[in-house]
Amino acid sequence: MPGRGYAYAAVADYAANNDEYIPFDQPGLPFSPSGSSGYPWAPDRGLANLPTFDPTSPLVIHDSLRPGPRKFRDHFAEGSGGDIQEIHQTLQACLQVGRLERAAATLRRLSSIYRLDAPELINTHNDYLVSLIDRVVNTKDQELLKQVQHWFEVEIRAQGIPPDALTYGLMLRASFQEANQLKIDRTIRRYIALAEQAGLRDEALCTALTTLNAQEIGRVTRACPTRFYEASELSVDDNFQLLPTEADIEAPTEGNLREVRAQQQKGLGLIALQKSLSVFSRTSQTSHRNRDNTSDEAEKRALAYERQQSLERDTWTSALERWQAEHEESMKRMGIHAGLQSKPISAVMWTWHEALVPLIREEIKKANETESRKNRSDHGLIAYGPFLQFISPEKMSAVTIIQTLNKISTCGVDRGTKVVSLVSTIGQAIQDESLAESLKGPKSRYPVSAHTQQKKLVQLLRRRKGYDKDAQPPDTKKDNAKSDTESAPSTSLAAGQSWPPAIRAQLGAVLISLLIQAAKLEVSREDPESGDVSKEVQSVFWNSFQYQNGKRYGVIRLNAAMSNKLRKEPVKHALSKYLPMLVEPLPWSQYKKGGFLKSGIPVVRGGTQHTQLRDYIRAAAESGDMTRVFAGLDVLGRTPWQINKGVFDVMLQVWNSGEGLGKVPPESPKFEYPPEPGLSADLKERRTHAFRIREIENERDGLHSTRCFLNFQLEVARAYLGETFYFPHNVDFRGRAYPIPPYLNHMGADNCRGLLLFGKGKELGESGLAWLKVHLANVFGYDKASFKERQDFTTDHIKDIYDSVNNPLGGSRWWLTAEDPWQCLATCMELKNALDSPEPTKFVSHLPVHQDGTCNGLQHYAALGGDPIGAKQVNLEPGNRPSDIYTAVADVVQREVAKDAANGDPLAKQVEGKISRKVVKPTVMTNVYGVTMSGAKRQVASQLRDLYLAEFTGDPHNLAIVSTYVTKKIFGALSAMFNGAHDIQYWLGECASRICDALTPEQMEWIEANAAGKPETSSFARKATNETKLKDEHMRFKSSVIWTTPLKMPVVQPYRTATSRVVKTNLQLISLNEPSASDPVSKRKQLQGFPPNFIHSLDATHMLLSALKCDELGLSFAAVHDSFWTHAADLDIMNGVIRDSFITMHSEDIIGRLAAEFAARYKNYMYLAQVKSNSPLGKRITALRMKEDRKFKAHGQIKEMLQEKLRITLLASENPEERAEGEAMVTPAKLFEETADENDLVTLEEMQGLDGVIGEAPKANSDDTEAKSIVFEPDHDSFDTLQPVLNLVKPFAERDILLDDTSSTEPSDDSKDRQAVINKRARITRTVRFWMPMSFPAVPKKGSFEVSRLKDSKYFFS
């Protein structure tokens, strides 16, 4: 047997003679034909199994009547303006920054808005008392204590506002701050007596005891002894914890390198990142230097924990330190009078910072002075003034400068950036940093003591009231069904509440305007005639306006000198707030508790449009439904990683050389620009030239951006050399898992994956060595052959493998010809090390080995639809060789193109012989995930242009027409292969259509009460200025498509039509979207998104289920959606897990369960159904409406809905007379029941006149009014008021149909194609819409394929 360093021939001989193990061909494997299981599978044990889920009882939050914010804009001088949410958030801001007078004025205003017994009102008073009492405790200010007592007596009790338990508890706490000790006991007894009169004594005592010390508790027990005499008689658990505190979380106790050559960015971006990574410095961190000298494992873990906390600390300060250091260095190097233009960009930014900080301080001073004056004319300044004081002016300056340059660099230094986007970005960054600052302080404004005596007394009081011992006090218990802005006991901004969009925009705008004043650059100009050099100081930024598509918008631009400077020293995303962790991530337990130690990252990523989803996730976490999802994320986060030093050294050498190798862009790419067209060139030739120039410029900018980002990745990799680190994960709204650290992770490109190794190694074994060879063939691109052929491929190239490792850049560079070169190099190194070891099967391997699904979305569709043909094409059906869906589709398309070409089709002749696997792959891969026709056309056009540059460059119009032709052929081929999946997709689309056109029972109840003139119950004492609009909101279609994954995670599609609002800033008027759960759904996006999102939720379930089982079996596991990773030695076991998890999922009736869940979730909803107007039912409905004079009348539509609701209620009655009355009623739905069935309803496919294909999600009608609202104004019959309802019954033939062909960003089709669209519209049948009780079409019949057959499929994942 050859040892380390044997010659190629000996190694090749060893490899050839030891390929006896062929994956999947050995007896006794988990998925062998015998079916015997080679690993312990316990279907009834642990989290690695599907939970029990009753689809007839899904989690439902009834929030359809949650209104948008009420607006109370009068009496601005009383405190603040804006809607009710803005008033609340301004109050919290004032409390946080100590503007107590402004807070008091705002609170009095809220008292005039709310009813006295509204819980929101007493909550805000409690917040105010907390701020006052905190200051009294810290300062012992007796005058302030009197103000607390005055507020309680005069502003709360005297006004008739009923205090709650928290109010009395706070006053008990305040009693102990009395300087006169004789008054304390009397004051305590008074507040306890008041609480007892209100029936809140025990709750008040429970709240107060959590904030007192032992001496104060003694005084309370003496003042109220009868409440505690049973303490010695009750058994109280000493281990009982009131609330988790920071102390309760156990802290984990755990050569010289070449520098990475900077990519011409010695400025902010790279340097700030390096500053953040300084925790890894071998010379600057004493604890790090001593780490390897520490034998105590606990001490190592403690050091790792300390270093992790360092990583999560503030990075803005480090950026400022670096700017200052570079500024001082440049002064020393070039002299005190050196021009700004000659300084490095970081030094220039320091001068901006020095000028900007005083301006911010002046703005804060002006805001405070304006607020204190009686005549407050600058309302905007008063509104955002408190928010300017959350963080220091220094940090606010750094955030503004960094975000501005990052935004402009991203958009293009020559083009500038839109004002609305920039001010929103800066405002969001200031908000995020403010919330992060708040989180650094105490986690609660109500301190919790750990004294055992307190625990016993509080537990006693809870038991007397019947509380569960592990529950929080009632006043601090959180209702997960409430909106994100509601939290108990406070609505503090520190709890993670978002600021109003208008405030963020105003804040961003004022900071930008200040930066425009502060940022200067000295520019030198040389007179071309005299040669004299003159210098002048110019503003760096300037505000201008542009027109686009007929609309004017503002932009922030850079002057020419700064643009040139940024090209040489680009500023990219510099702040590394979320780096890989040095300790295992915290286990996920709540919506914002898990992952990083300090940063409150939500478990579900998403923006402000995910309000409803947040409510569902919080409720699911509270009920335990998220247990498996949390556990799966913990498994992914616990996987340890290391940097592959061998690959890093080669990559660093390539990087520092500036050569473009292995998908690393060259430092100085060379482009061949086309010659300028002559003076006689026509318009088409000039456009073609301009188009080609744009393409080159875009490619150049893209390569530069990629290289800059690679620079960051290499810096992170260099810092983590020799470390073991972890990637905390969270999920998107569909349940798909993603690592949170953005720079370097295993979901990155080939270079990232090549740099990563598992932190733990495992001996290869015989099977592992074979899988390592298969993996090398896979990453090289030879992945469509059998496993034996892939092993042979590796053996045949053993000489190339050794050459790639021994001389990666000076040899034949065989590894660079691989599809994934860096992963190929990493595998070559691992295989060579194994073969060179004394016993290759004993070699400890750290390399992750992948198993990838075959177009995994289509695999799920084929299993759902039972498509035998489709199942074979995506390797669900066992076979001797892997099937390739891309090749199969390409063959079908090529045959169809050949037929058309033979018939003289000019488009077919252009692409005949050019339809290859590469052309169709992007579209086939993404269509199942919702790619639209326009998106697919762009994919095909890109592939044709790349593969046949000479033929398809220069005429974008022709390329667009050809790509449309090919795209339709691809969709047609997929539809034929996946017929069952096609039916399922349209079933999903039809269900979504009905849901989006439905009213909830709560909405119908409100409409009925409003029509009857019944007053609406509300917490408000007076009407809002937008009361009419709020009423209209209740008549909008608000129902999102919501379902539950097999792991019980609720999925809520966030697509809604957000309302816009014009905000006045000191730069310009800005139109902002304000998304909320009260917005109407966007029907088009809901329909297009549902089929692909549903499949995404299934592949996410499959991955997490496999992760849980692999963890249970002791395997290291990582995943990139449908690519599962583990050690080579464990690949056989993981393959069995993957197959069994998939079979377990699809052995259940997933679509049937979804139908049952929909039936339960949308029970008692009512939707607008459609039938053809010339059908018997359509004629009867029209006649009924003519008879009752309800044609095209809004009140008639509402009356019809209310009549149908009444009919259903009467039919469900136990009273025979009422049932008879219901049976006698005649409504359109009654006529439908008598004369029609589901087959008579117009489906989406019929409405659109489109050929449905797998991947082309159903399109919604472009009439946005239908998706937005049903306006009900019973006292008005004007045409303008009724128009939205008229649109509901307007025939489809009179509407515009949204077709992807007309929305493409490519050049428009010619008149022939336009006529085809018109003809499609003309063929659409006129329809009649009417209200129907919610029902769903029958589930499509499943095909003959049995999913259990994939147990024996070798190439299901391979």
Side-chain angles (χ1 to χ4, degrees), residues 66 478-487 611 615 618:
R66 174 164 47 186
K478 190 160 187 177
D479 181 2
N480 286 292
K482 293 182 181 180
S483 68
D484 192 47
T485 60
E486 297 178 64
S487 61
T611 301
D615 295 342
R618 285 189 168 117

Side-chain angles (χ1 to χ4, degrees), residues 434-450:
S434 300
L435 298 181
E437 282 286 312
S438 302
L439 291 173
K440 291 179 182 178
K443 290 193 175 183
S444 171
R445 290 154 77 184
Y446 311 95
V448 178
S449 174

Side-chain angles (χ1 to χ4, degrees), residues 990-1060:
E990 183 64 32
C991 290
S993 177
R994 297 187 184 189
I995 292 168
C996 295
D997 276 346
L999 292 177
T1000 68
E1002 295 80 19
Q1003 286 178 288
M1004 290 186 287
E1005 291 288 346
W1006 184 90
I1007 292 173
E1008 185 176 29
N1010 194 51
K1014 295 180 181 179
E1016 181 182 3
T1017 58
S1018 169
S1019 296
F1020 298 96
R1022 58 190 177 96
K1023 286 187 176 182
T1025 56
N1026 62 335
E1027 196 73 26
T1028 301
K1029 180 181 177 182
L1030 294 176
K1031 288 184 177 181
D1032 292 345
E1033 288 181 355
H1034 293 331
M1035 300 187 188
R1036 297 175 176 178
F1037 291 130
K1038 297 184 179 183
S1039 302
S1040 291
V1041 181
I1042 304 173
W1043 69 95
T1044 308
T1045 72
L1047 291 181
K1048 298 187 73 174
M1049 174 182 168
V1051 179
V1052 182
Q1053 293 201 142
Y1055 314 123
R1056 295 181 177 273
T1057 304
T1059 56
S1060 61

Side-chain angles (χ1 to χ4, degrees), residues 12 15 97 311 336 504 528 733 793 1013 1130 1227 1242 1272 1291 1300 1348:
V97 301
L311 276 179
I336 193 67
R504 294 200 300 267
F733 73 94
F793 172 87
D1130 293 330
T1227 64
V1242 176
F1272 172 52
D1300 271 327
S1348 59

Side-chain angles (χ1 to χ4, degrees), residues 502-515:
I503 292 295
R504 294 200 300 267
Q506 290 173 323
L507 196 60
V510 72
L511 290 171
I512 281 293
S513 64
L514 295 178
L515 180 60

Side-chain angles (χ1 to χ4, degrees), residues 130-263:
V130 167
S131 293
L132 291 180
I133 294 171
D134 282 346
R135 282 170 172 76
V136 172
V137 172
N138 293 329
T139 64
K140 308 301 180 183
D141 187 340
Q142 295 301 297
E143 290 300 320
L144 196 56
L145 177 61
K146 290 180 181 179
Q147 186 176 339
V148 172
Q149 296 165 342
H150 177 272
W151 193 271
F152 174 77
E153 299 294 345
V154 177
E155 300 292 346
I156 298 179
R157 293 189 68 229
Q159 299 297 327
I161 301 172
D164 62 7
L166 179 59
T167 313
Y168 291 118
L170 291 171
M171 297 309 298
L172 284 172
R173 183 190 178 203
S175 301
F176 288 98
Q177 310 309 315
E178 180 67 56
N180 187 345
Q181 295 295 312
L182 299 177
K183 291 184 179 180
I184 294 179
D185 289 342
R186 183 172 70 249
T187 307
I188 291 173
R189 285 193 293 270
R190 179 173 184 273
Y191 289 133
I192 291 177
L194 290 174
E196 186 170 17
Q197 292 175 12
L200 299 171
R201 181 167 62 177
D202 287 349
E203 292 92 331
L205 289 170
C206 183
T207 301
L209 288 176
T210 61
T211 66
L212 305 179
N213 58 37
Q215 182 180 3
E216 292 168 341
I217 290 174
R219 298 192 74 156
V220 173
T221 56
R222 288 193 299 273
C224 190
T226 57
R227 307 306 298 170
F228 303 98
Y229 74 92
E230 301 99 332
S232 61
E233 302 174 7
L234 287 177
S235 173
V236 181
D237 181 9
D238 285 344
N239 294 324
F240 170 67
Q241 294 282 341
L242 281 175
L243 292 170
T245 65
E246 197 165 321
D248 297 327
I249 302 175
E250 182 182 356
T253 56
E254 208 163 310
N256 292 331
L257 297 171
R258 285 188 297 162
E259 297 290 334
V260 179
R261 178 181 169 187
Q263 171 57 32

Side-chain angles (χ1 to χ4, degrees), residues 73 692 1271:
R73 293 190 176 277
R692 181 59 185 152
V1271 177

Side-chain angles (χ1 to χ4, degrees), residues 1101-1122:
T1101 297
H1102 180 220
M1103 188 276 289
L1104 290 175
L1105 199 61
S1106 300
L1108 289 168
K1109 189 60 192 181
C1110 286
D1111 182 66
E1112 185 180 299
L1113 299 174
L1115 276 63
S1116 294
F1117 183 88
V1120 182
H1121 302 318
D1122 62 348

